[in-house]
Amino acid sequence: MSMEHMTILLAGGRGQRMGSAFPDKVLTDVGGRPLFEYLLRAFVRSGIQDGFVVVYRDQAQRIVLEKLCRPVSPEKPVHFVQGGRERRDSVLSGLAALPSETRFVYIHDAARAAVTPEALTRVRAALESGSKAVSLAHRISDTVRRFAASPLEEPVDGELLDRNGLWAMETPQGFQRTLIEEAHARFAGSATDDLAAVEAMGLPVRLIENPHPNPKLTRSADLPAFATLLQSPSMEPYPPSPRLRVGNGYDIHRLKEGLPLVLGGVSIPSDHGLEGHSDADVLTHALADAILGACGLPDIGTYFPNTDPACKGMDSQLILRKACEEASAKGFNLVNADLSIIAEKPKLGPHVAAMKTALSRTLGLGPEAIGIKATTHERIGALGQGAGIAAYATVLLAGVNA
Ligand code: MG
């Protein structure tokens, strides 16, 4: 794999201005994902690089970053190298870790997590058209004044700067690899970006006006604005997570000689049947309760009280249908159901396929999405003595507009 274009992500900054509640700025949670994940994804989507060098702060951070990178960049290699005290030390570590065949390098401050894939492609295009040192930037629209002393303590004389021609630098900055290596090797000063080293050699630099906001996360107060930017269409945002709900249900009924046995909507030949107000279909009851539970709704007894004569001998498929309607009214549909029946007798294996068909019809769900297992209770306890039949149900529901 060619490694001509490499991106160095500087993730080791301390971010002290974020405050103590945010111990690692680039791992700050925004909408359930760490900031660094959005950033890496934007670079991966832009396709500008053949691989990454992530400059980390310490081993603890490296472990988290490595885990994050694997799924986001499964194809492009990600190298890890420890950074130094100052930003420039970290840049030098990153440059030293580049593969030998690298010709172009993009150096990016990971705190600029809202950089868009589109802006990134402009940086690569500028390098490919012959520029040797380029930076994303924006014009300064604020009025700018310089003060020799802090104007915060007491009034001091200020100097109004002409904002014409003033640009604020962003990252990434892109370079011909040999140029930035030579520039940093010669550079003696200190600077907050890498263009400074090239300028110190007396060489011109090229700016790319970024049409998208690309701020640097500095203070925790910036987070709401970041969350908005990361969801903007130009970031190709993550699709919203589907609304998923899990539910469980349990039911048990006594077995009694001479009663009909109905399980999963199927009449099963047996000299014993289940006792109950309705048809006592214990499996269907557990399933209906699981569906209601997943929606945060009360159990089936609330909808079909055993004191209601209208429910006497009722077909439990009606109960199940009602549970589905309630779920649907809450905006949820059943994805799958997994059911277990515990019965010492009769043998239920031969009836499982018929139960799947019956439940499938009530649920409006393919039989492949319904699991039914029948087990005995190994003669343990009352269930094992055949005193009753119990059933467990687990269901997954998904939001209808997910
Ligand atoms: Mg019941």
Side-chain angles (χ1 to χ4, degrees):
M1 191 188 278
S2 160
M3 288 294 133
E4 283 204 356
H5 293 259
M6 291 291 289
T7 290
I8 296 175
L9 297 174
L10 304 170
R14 288 241 158 241
Q16 276 154 349
R17 279 170 289 179
M18 288 288 285
S20 57
F22 301 90
D24 195 330
K25 181 159 74 169
V26 302
L27 296 178
T28 301
D29 185 290
V30 178
R33 297 172 192 274
L35 211 57
F36 190 84
E37 188 177 334
Y38 292 93
L39 167 72
L40 186 68
R41 185 170 174 272
F43 274 87
V44 168
R45 288 209 159 184
S46 76
I48 65 164
Q49 65 281 299
D50 304 308
F52 295 91
V53 173
V54 173
V55 185
Y56 61 88
R57 183 172 62 238
D58 51 34
Q59 287 302 324
Q61 192 198 34
R62 176 189 176 142
I63 291 166
V64 179
L65 291 173
E66 267 190 321
K67 206 169 149 193
L68 260 174
C69 287
R70 244 171 272 137
V72 182
S73 183
E75 280 151 25
K76 303 291 173 73
V78 184
H79 307 286
F80 289 86
V81 61
Q82 186 154 22
R85 231 179 105 74
E86 304 295 332
R87 181 184 184 280
R88 183 149 173 261
D89 302 323
S90 294
V91 172
L92 294 176
S93 299
L95 290 171
L98 293 175
S100 57
E101 66 264 41
T102 299
R103 290 177 56 215
F104 302 100
V105 58
Y106 309 96
I107 304 176
H108 186 70
D109 294 325
R112 291 193 191 272
V115 68
T116 62
E118 196 270 340
L120 296 174
T121 59
R122 294 181 188 220
V123 178
R124 172 160 172 163
L127 285 184
E128 285 182 324
S129 68
S131 301
K132 295 178 177 176
V134 304
S135 179
L136 285 177
H138 61 271
R139 292 170 208 271
I140 290 183
S141 56
D142 293 318
T143 297
V144 183
R145 259 188 197 85
R146 188 205 307 273
F147 296 90
S150 169
L152 299 176
E153 313 302 328
E154 53 187 87
V156 290
D157 288 331
E159 175 198 358
L160 178 65
L161 301 184
D162 180 1
R163 72 183 176 197
N164 274 322
L166 283 185
W167 290 74
M169 295 305 115
E170 303 173 7
T171 64
Q173 296 182 338
F175 304 93
Q176 270 194 355
R177 189 245 187 107
T178 49
L179 172 69
I180 191 62
E181 282 181 339
E182 186 188 348
H184 269 301
R186 290 187 186 193
F187 189 58
S190 72
T192 49
D193 76 352
D194 302 289
L195 282 192
V198 174
E199 287 167 329
M201 291 173 72
L203 294 175
V205 298
R206 179 172 163 197
L207 298 188
I208 298 152
E209 186 165 17
N210 191 352
H212 310 289
N214 178 20
K216 185 173 182 174
L217 177 61
T218 308
R219 300 161 307 153
S220 55
D222 303 333
L223 280 169
F226 258 85
T228 306
L229 282 178
L230 294 171
Q231 286 305 321
S232 73
S234 51
M235 277 300 282
E236 302 175 38
Y238 283 97
S241 309
R243 291 184 307 139
L244 297 176
R245 293 290 185 86
V246 68
N248 80 80
Y250 171 75
D251 197 19
I252 184 165
H253 283 248
R254 280 181 191 281
L255 271 174
K256 199 174 164 189
E257 199 169 358
L259 289 176
L261 177 62
V262 179
L263 286 174
V266 175
S267 290
I268 292 165
S270 167
D271 50 4
H272 285 67
L274 293 172
E275 234 179 355
H277 190 62
S278 64
D279 65 5
D281 183 342
V282 65
L283 181 62
T284 300
H285 293 178
L287 175 55
D289 267 346
I291 292 169
L292 292 169
C295 300
L297 293 168
D299 68 14
I300 56 174
T302 314
Y303 298 91
F304 303 97
N306 60 12
T307 50
D308 183 351
C311 302
K312 186 93 188 112
M314 176 177 194
D315 178 355
S316 292
Q317 296 310 297
L318 297 175
I319 296 175
L320 182 56
R321 188 161 298 147
K322 172 71 174 168
C324 290
E325 285 165 8
E326 291 295 316
S328 184
K330 283 264 185 182
F332 290 99
N333 277 344
L334 186 63
V335 175
N336 78 308
D338 186 22
L339 314 172
S340 294
I341 314 166
I342 301 163
E344 208 64 30
K345 60 178 184 181
K347 223 175 157 41
L348 295 174
H351 304 285
V352 163
M355 291 184 212
K356 279 195 185 195
T357 306
L359 293 176
S360 164
R361 203 173 296 140
T362 306
L363 296 167
L365 193 69
E368 73 286 347
I370 303 168
I372 301 179
K373 291 97 58 192
T375 179
T376 69
H377 212 243
E378 292 292 336
R379 298 192 298 280
I380 300 166
L383 272 181
Q385 303 307 313
I389 294 181
Y392 292 91
T394 302
V395 296
L396 183 72
L397 273 60
V400 175
N401 299 317

